Amino acid sequence: MTLLTETHTAPTPCKSPTIRLAVIGLGLRSTCITKLLTQCNPHAQLAVLVDPNPDKTQPLIDENKIRTSRHMATYNSVQDMLKAGPEIDALIIGTRCNLHTPIAIQLAELNLPMFLEKPVCINWEQYKQLEQAYARNHDNVLVSFPLRVTPLLQAVREYVMQGRLGTLNQIQAVNNVSYGNVYVDSWYRDSKITGGLWLQKATHDFDYIHHLANATPTQITAMHSRCIWQEPVSHQDAGSAIVQYDSGFHANYTQNFITRQSAGKRGATLTGEDGSISFDWNTDRFTFQAHKQNRVENVSIKVEDGHGGGDQKLAENFLDLIRKRDVSQCTMHAGLLSAATCLAARDAANQRKVIAIPTPFINQQPMILHQHVEPLD
Ligand SMILES: NC(=O)c1ccc[n+]([C@@H]2O[C@H](COP(=O)([O-])OP(=O)(O)OC[C@H]3O[C@@H](n4cnc5c(N)ncnc54)[C@H](O)[C@@H]3O)[C@@H](O)[C@H]2O)c1
């Protein structure tokens, strides 16, 4: 043990541990995330707020006891904030869907850790603009996909990655939404803001399906219909899609917005040569059935509130990204790939076609060798 004496040089003081968060659009969702961030880290504080409706944001800050810096800077627009140039350690974009892309593009030059709400874009034009703006610096973005980081999905993925299912041959995913009224009784009704219910809802599901598939989606076909909701509602009340992957297998996904009460269900069954696994976020359970032995494992996962514990994990990952202790678990690549899958599903359903899904930042990805798939009957 070395004893400290007066001749020792004083240790270099640490850089300030304060984390100055800038929130662009402090609504219901970003309030929840900012609250978690300030709860998880005593040094995190809301230091900069950009929102044109300050009368609505202050009550949210007070009710949720969000820690703010002593002199929180407030601006009406991103442009005003950029002109003033306040000190910022990380950005949170929590506006409604149609503004995610233009605001993320305005802030791209800062290259700060960014928490970006989903969907990352709502049309192909935005998709291309966002892909271009982040072509060189997409590592610093965490897209708000809580399902991907839930303890339930991570446990299921562990089974897949450990080879417990053998070679996967299909994923069958279901999202029977028991709170579908939200999408017609609030601002979500306006598809000009949301881009419709593929982008609004399925972006989460396509993301976790791609993550489980561990392969690149190449094409999609889809159908959607409206049998219960009436004009002027323009949203589908049910939709189904089939996605083909470069590894040769396919996934299907169905969403239904008329389901209510305990009929709600969100999860999937994955089938492989050696086993099947089914999981549901409504119960936080999964069941693994070995195909070659008479063996069934039923597992229940205890989680925090907030998207099956996913919000907490997102907050922790964002704090680690800010402190450079971890990489983003939900990258801009994943955000764009999922949005592209939704846009292609929307086109496929509207045009009654099979639509190719582009791979974001394709020139920066390692080459993927496409497995030849023999035509089947
Ligand atoms: N990841 C998830 O699980 C999840 C869950 C819920 C909602 N969301 C997404 O979160 C987003 C926000 O939803 P919400 O319910 O919090 O909406 P909201 O309407 O409550 O909040 C939006 C906020 O943005 C502000 N705003 C509007 N224009 C702005 C501008 N130009 N610059 C800065 N701020 C501006 C509004 O004043 C408001 O405070 C949506 O895109 C939604 O899809 C994601």
Side-chain angles (χ1 to χ4, degrees), residues 16 23 25 38 40 46 79-80 99 106 119 124 127 132 142 152 178 226 244 264 266 277 282 299 310:
S16 158
V23 176
T38 56
C40 287
L46 175 57
Q79 227 171 358
D80 289 350
L99 295 179
Q106 271 183 293
W124 285 117
Y127 172 89
Q132 201 177 2
L142 178 69
L152 182 65
S178 61
R226 188 179 57 234
Q244 176 86 64
R266 193 175 206 178
I277 194 163
N282 281 25
V299 182

Side-chain angles (χ1 to χ4, degrees), residues 27-29 51-53 95-97 100 117-118 144 200 307:
L28 294 180
R29 174 65 183 161
D51 199 301
N53 295 304
T95 57
R96 292 180 183 175
C97 319
H100 297 165
E117 256 322 323
K118 50 54 63 174
S144 179
Q200 183 47 231
H307 290 109

Side-chain angles (χ1 to χ4, degrees), residues 1 39 48 57 79 87 92 94 106 110 150 159 190 204 249 261 274 288 334:
M1 186 170 70
Q39 277 174 348
V48 176
T57 52
Q79 227 171 358
E87 198 188 323
I92 298 158
Q106 271 183 293
L110 300 182
T150 55
Y159 272 59
D190 189 346
H204 287 294
F249 88 112
Q261 311 287 353
D274 300 333
F288 170 72

Side-chain angles (χ1 to χ4, degrees), residues 214-261:
N214 204 25
T216 304
T218 54
Q219 51 186 340
I220 190 164
T221 192
M223 289 186 188
H224 54 209
S225 49
R226 188 179 57 234
C227 298
I228 309 297
W229 287 341
Q230 302 290 324
E231 292 287 343
V233 173
S234 61
H235 290 322
Q236 59 175 286
D237 55 32
S240 301
I242 306 175
V243 188
Q244 176 86 64
Y245 287 87
D246 62 347
S247 56
F249 88 112
H250 75 270
N252 57 49
Y253 165 75
T254 288
Q255 57 183 13
N256 189 304
F257 295 90
I258 303 304
T259 315
R260 292 292 179 270
Q261 311 287 353

